[in-house]
Amino acid sequence: MSFLEAHHVSKSYGDVRALERFSVTIEKGEIVALLGPDGAGKTSFMRILCDLIDADADAEMSLKIDGVDVRKDFAKVKPLVGYMPQTFSLYPDLSIEENMTFYAGIYGFTGAAYRQKRDQMYAFSNLGPFAKRRAGALSGGMKQKLALSCALLHDPKLLILDEPTTGVDPLSRRQFWEMLLELRASGVTILVATPYMDEVERTDRAVCIFGGRKLTEASPKELARQFEGRIYYLPQSPSRELIERLDAIDGLEARRFGSGVHLYTDERTEITVFDGSLRNAGVDPAQIEPIEPSVEDRFIQLMEQETVQ
Amino acid sequence: MFRAYTGLVKKEFLQVLRDKNMLRIIFAVPIIQLMVLGYAVTTDVKDIDLDVYDFNQSQYSRELVDAAGAGEYFTVTHDLQPTSQHPVYDLHTRFQAGASEMALIIPENFSRDLTSNENTTIGLVADGSNASSAATALGYMSQIVRQYAMDKTGVKLPIEIRRRVLYNPEGESVYFMVPGIVATLLTMITIMLTSMAIVREKEMGTLEQLLVTPITGSSLLAGKLSAFAVLGIFEMSFALAVGVLWFGIPFVGSPLLLFGLSAVYLIATLGIGLFFSTITSTQQQAMFFAWFFSIFAILTSGFLTPISNMPDWIQYLTYINPMRYFVSIVRGIMMRGAGIPELIGDIYPMLIFGVAIFTIAALRFQKRVS
């Protein structure tokens, strides 16, 4: 029995299909990324998981956490679950300490047991020195760390995090993920929705969701390897007319990437085939380097294939 | 679960006390209401500016004018000598300018008629733009004239009327006001605080976070409502203290009974506040509903104007206004020392309405965020 089993979960808002028979299984101790653009259905799925909204009725649908049917008995699993929604949802007019005391009280922690847990969280998150500061006066990164701390107070076995690092500075993001990896090491299962590719690469498995449907799921390495075609990098300034010239070459696709150009060919073609055309376009082929496809490349490819259909 | 409850109550208090606007409402509003309504809004009629047009200019007419100005009811401001100008024009100008509110017109043959035992007439003209005080003023003046007539002619009425006003012999309007103010404060504070605080959690998204925790809907409700109930009672006590200690109003009945019945009334107001929180999605909306309802409740509660004076269809509507019963209860306890047997006719409907609205509201609230 897997720790989390979701089967055929659908959700519509009026005419809009936010989730289309979405299924996923998560084993204990995994970190799974839910990867998808805005509006793909990630938040809807997570809210259904936490029994905050109802999924569409479907005889084939099932949703179980630790073997318990979420729709019937979510109260039983509540102590197991820690949820962090996309927008900050703690009390801005209370201090860090007051927020934590409040949530601890809800889970039944007071006195010495609470203080021990609280100090553990402070050490974990480096929020200790700011304990008396109002939550509304915290920076983005600190808010998220506080939200995570509150979600962890009751030692949940399953963490559901909806874009926990969106809008957070890079240093805080890194610290946040270090916290998550520590948690995984201690046996916590984590489902995290994220648009950041570098974060996806640190997970055990990535589930790609687009238009409410699951496109694929695989480990990040596997996902990147599934990329169809080859990618090369040309360190030349990606002016629009250069891109157009390169794109015009039959069998070659060009896109700007940072301060250079990505060139795409299909699986069987070596870039050397295009040497002549490239020189004609004003490019020195010797400068071109092959690069490993990334998760992002594969995901965009999947989205494009899906859109074409 | 008890820990969750106390944590909630503590949090609500913290939030209210940290909200500067809330604090102003809780402390400033009752003081202002009491001061303004206690002092400024008085139904007593005193110091009415009275214009006298004495066309008789005799000892008798002077005596009558003196009698009119003797008490505290009238101030004779314009003792006019008859002029070639028609007195009526002057009257309009004076009334319109607000310089006077009543005119006493004594005709030329006043003293002649009195001494020859003939009937004579006096003119009394009142500015009716304030209908209630005009009626009262006319009443006072009529009495003064009647007394003067009896003194002068020695004629006594066959029926002697002895009047006594129980419970408020001076007719102090502040005695009448303060119980109503106390009821108003309890009503407005609890409805507003309850509806706004719950909607604020919806607005801010903190309600969602709470729903994922093991806290039950009933604990959540209990925690919030307890905090507001306490605040409401505190407000009420504060207003009562000011009323009794500052304005010196009497408190004849049992304070324990008053607070006990206030708790019953709270079921209704908390229920109404809770109900509003389930039909609004922003704090502004909640405040608007709370305000609008409070005004309606206050105006039809019998606080300022008697219900029996209202048109029939409004009187029927007041039967579902819980504040109507509570105002009656507060007055009964404070001014007449009434006990449960006397008040039972108000307690029952208040209880029934309260339980009904609270149940409806709580059921609505138990629905999940969706």
Side-chain angles (χ1 to χ4, degrees), chain B residues 65-244:
Chain B
V65 173
D66 285 345
E72 52 180 4
Y73 295 125
F74 296 101
T75 313
V76 179
T77 55
H78 193 87
D79 205 347
L80 290 170
Q81 304 296 321
T83 64
S84 52
Q85 284 180 309
H86 199 294
V88 176
Y89 294 135
D90 226 23
L91 222 155
H92 275 299
T93 321
R94 297 273 300 167
F95 278 6
Q96 276 172 356
S100 70
E101 293 166 71
M102 252 191 96
L104 169 65
I105 305 172
I106 305 175
E108 210 182 327
N109 43 346
F110 179 64
S111 52
R112 181 162 49 88
D113 289 341
L114 263 186
T115 48
S116 57
N117 268 324
E118 300 238 359
N119 287 341
T120 185
T121 34
I122 301 266
L124 284 182
V125 185
D127 177 0
S129 51
N130 185 344
S132 57
S133 61
T136 319
L138 282 174
Y140 287 154
M141 188 53 107
S142 305
Q143 252 187 289
I144 292 174
V145 173
R146 208 173 296 128
Q147 190 64 46
Y148 173 82
M150 283 188 352
D151 290 342
K152 279 293 151 210
T153 61
V155 173
K156 280 212 161 34
L157 292 174
I159 302 171
E160 192 187 326
I161 300 171
R162 288 201 200 145
R163 301 173 354 146
R164 264 191 74 193
V165 175
L166 292 180
Y167 306 122
N168 188 358
E170 313 281 313
E172 289 277 353
S173 65
V174 72
Y175 288 21
F176 176 75
M177 287 288 175
V178 171
I181 293 172
V182 163
T184 301
L185 282 174
L186 189 59
T187 308
M188 279 188 77
I189 295 281
T190 46
I191 296 185
M192 234 184 239
L193 271 186
T194 307
S195 57
M196 284 175 74
I198 297 180
V199 171
R200 181 176 52 196
E201 298 242 12
K202 254 206 282 194
E203 250 186 325
M204 288 191 337
T206 52
L207 192 60
E208 245 187 35
Q209 189 72 50
L210 278 178
L211 290 173
V212 181
T213 66
I215 197 173
T216 56
S218 17
S219 287
L220 180 55
L221 262 189
K224 282 191 160 311
L225 298 182
S226 306
F228 305 138
V230 169
L231 276 169
I233 297 278
F234 169 73
E235 281 294 277
M236 193 179 90
S237 320
F238 182 65
L240 275 175
V242 173
V244 172

Side-chain angles (χ1 to χ4, degrees), chain B residues 67 166 190 208 241 296 313 324 353:
Chain B
L166 292 180
T190 46
E208 245 187 35
F296 163 77
W313 63 277
R324 167 218 166 115
F353 179 86

Side-chain angles (χ1 to χ4, degrees), chain A residues 161-180:
Chain A
L161 313 173
D162 195 349
E163 297 201 25
T165 56
T166 298
V168 169
D169 66 277
L171 178 61
S172 297
R173 274 213 289 133
R174 208 186 314 159
Q175 287 175 335
F176 191 88
W177 270 86
E178 274 158 24
M179 285 162 73
L180 289 185

